[in-house]
Amino acid sequence: MTALLEVTNLEAWYGESQALHGVDLKVGEGEMITILGRNGVGKTTTLRTIMGMIRNRKGSIRLAGKDMLSVPLHKTAKHGIGFVPEERGIFATLTVEENLMLPPVVAAGGMDLDEIYELFPNLLERRTSPGTKLSGGEQQMLAMARILRTGIKVLLLDEPTEGLAPVIVQRIGEVLQKLKGRGMTVVLVEQNFRFAAKITDRFYLMDHGQMVGDFPVSDLPNRMGELNKVLGV
Ligand code: ATP
């Protein structure tokens, strides 16, 4: 497989404290991978380090072969990588549509407002509501929608289903299926592996700042022992 995003031996630090101890992962164009692991093993840090939010890093990050380690955070999106953090980052005083229009378009191929509202009809209904009035599920949809406008090629998505009702989780699953249909490449961090199993192509298991296993979703039934060990259940 030729990787669109290839991370090799990635290390990262918060001050003196090393959080990533040599992360390796590869994502093909149009592929969705899911990183699973217990709290605190470095899943969020992996996404933040790829994005360039953590500058104290070494190793290799390549996007379509291009070195991303030397690219500053404010230019990462221009190269085609977008990040939806767990905390979603919706501006409370701005309306849904103002939030949507906020990030600059970095490349052709992003969704226009009509396509976004078709994919997220609830955002159309709420387009003049301020961020403060949105439910958790609406905030998550808005955070995803906002980044899809920009034309990024790789979506880094941190626990999109966290704290949401099952019906909303299902909606997010449908949205991710549609994005796959459009050829989006996705790196998903999820606690809910049953949800991820419905949409992901492959899993990566993470422990102590490293990937300790990876396998296609079809192999999940054979890997439950390994998975339970990594998840500590
Ligand atoms: P969670 O699901 O709880 O977010 P995670 O697997 O995403 O877990 P990270 O948030 O990446 O884990 O954390 C990895 C390690 O880095 C943990 O030991 C955590 O305490 C530490 N860490 C995370 N953020 C910071 C920070 N801002 N400053 C210092 N240490 C941090």
Side-chain angles (χ1 to χ4, degrees), residues 133-197:
K133 293 275 191 275
L134 301 180
S135 67
E138 286 167 336
Q139 286 184 29
Q140 182 61 45
M141 305 272 182
L142 178 54
M144 288 168 68
R146 185 167 62 176
I147 212 117
L148 298 174
R149 243 191 88 250
T150 63
I152 50 123
K153 306 257 178 316
V154 179
L155 177 63
L156 310 178
L157 201 51
D158 198 2
E159 301 205 25
T161 67
E162 168 84 23
L164 301 181
V167 56
I168 312 290
V169 171
Q170 195 183 332
R171 272 289 295 133
I172 289 175
E174 288 161 13
V175 166
L176 288 174
Q177 285 287 14
K178 287 192 182 149
L179 293 182
K180 265 180 93 174
R182 290 176 64 104
M184 181 70 81
T185 303
V186 183
V187 179
L188 177 66
V189 163
E190 238 329 314
Q191 297 280 352
N192 183 347
F193 76 88
R194 289 179 210 286
F195 161 77

Side-chain angles (χ1 to χ4, degrees), residues 61-146:
I61 304 170
R62 293 193 168 270
L63 182 70
K66 190 194 176 313
D67 166 51
M68 293 295 294
L69 214 67
S70 53
V71 172
L73 169 62
H74 69 279
K75 295 228 169 103
T76 310
K78 282 195 184 141
H79 288 270
I81 306 182
F83 176 43
V84 178
E86 195 178 344
E87 60 277 15
R88 295 158 189 156
I90 302 304
F91 289 89
T93 55
L94 300 184
T95 66
V96 163
E97 195 154 296
E98 285 165 346
N99 267 285
L100 271 177
M101 300 306 281
L102 213 55
V105 171
V106 294
M111 291 183 180
D112 61 26
L113 268 187
D114 288 345
E115 288 175 296
I116 284 179
Y117 286 141
E118 198 186 322
L119 188 59
F120 301 95
N122 54 328
L123 294 184
L124 178 61
E125 278 166 37
R126 307 288 258 147
R127 54 188 278 246
T128 57
S129 304
T132 38
K133 293 275 191 275
L134 301 180
S135 67
E138 286 167 336
Q139 286 184 29
Q140 182 61 45
M141 305 272 182
L142 178 54
M144 288 168 68
R146 185 167 62 176

